[in-house]
Amino acid sequence: METSAIWIFGILIRDKEKEDGCVQKILVQYADSIKTRLGLYDVEHRKSHPQGLLLIQVIGSKKEMEQFEKEIYMIEGVEIQHMMFES
C-alpha cells in the first residue's frame, strides 16, 4: 500500500486573466486532497502585474500528486514547483 505524503505546490500564473480558469478547473478536480490554498498577488498593481502565485498544501499518494503536477504543467503560461514531506 502506498503511503500518503504532504505536498506543497507553488503555482505561478503568468497571466491571471488568461490562465486562471484552466488552473481552477484542475484544482476543483483535486479539491478533496487540498488542505490549504493561499493566493498571493499584487492587488494595487493588478494591470501592470497580471501574474499571481498560488501556494497549495495537498495530501495524497505520490502517483496522484504527480498526475496533479503534470496536469498543471501542461497549461501554457503556468509554472509549477513542489516540495514533498513523508508523513
Side-chain angles (χ1 to χ4, degrees), residues 27-28 30-37 56-59 68:
L27 295 178
V28 168
Y30 290 88
D32 291 342
S33 299
I34 296 173
K35 301 301 176 191
T36 306
R37 176 178 169 173
I56 300 176
Q57 174 198 12
V58 189
I59 296 176
F68 170 77

Side-chain angles (χ1 to χ4, degrees), residues 61-76:
S61 69
K62 182 176 181 178
K63 182 179 178 181
E64 184 180 30
M65 295 303 101
E66 287 174 344
Q67 181 62 33
F68 170 77
E69 186 171 23
K70 181 180 176 183
E71 290 179 35
I72 296 288
Y73 178 79
M74 297 301 292
I75 302 170
E76 187 176 336

Side-chain angles (χ1 to χ4, degrees), residues 5-16:
I6 299 169
W7 295 73
I8 306 292
F9 287 98
I11 302 170
L12 178 63
I13 302 171
R14 299 210 182 275
D15 185 345
K16 292 190 311 278

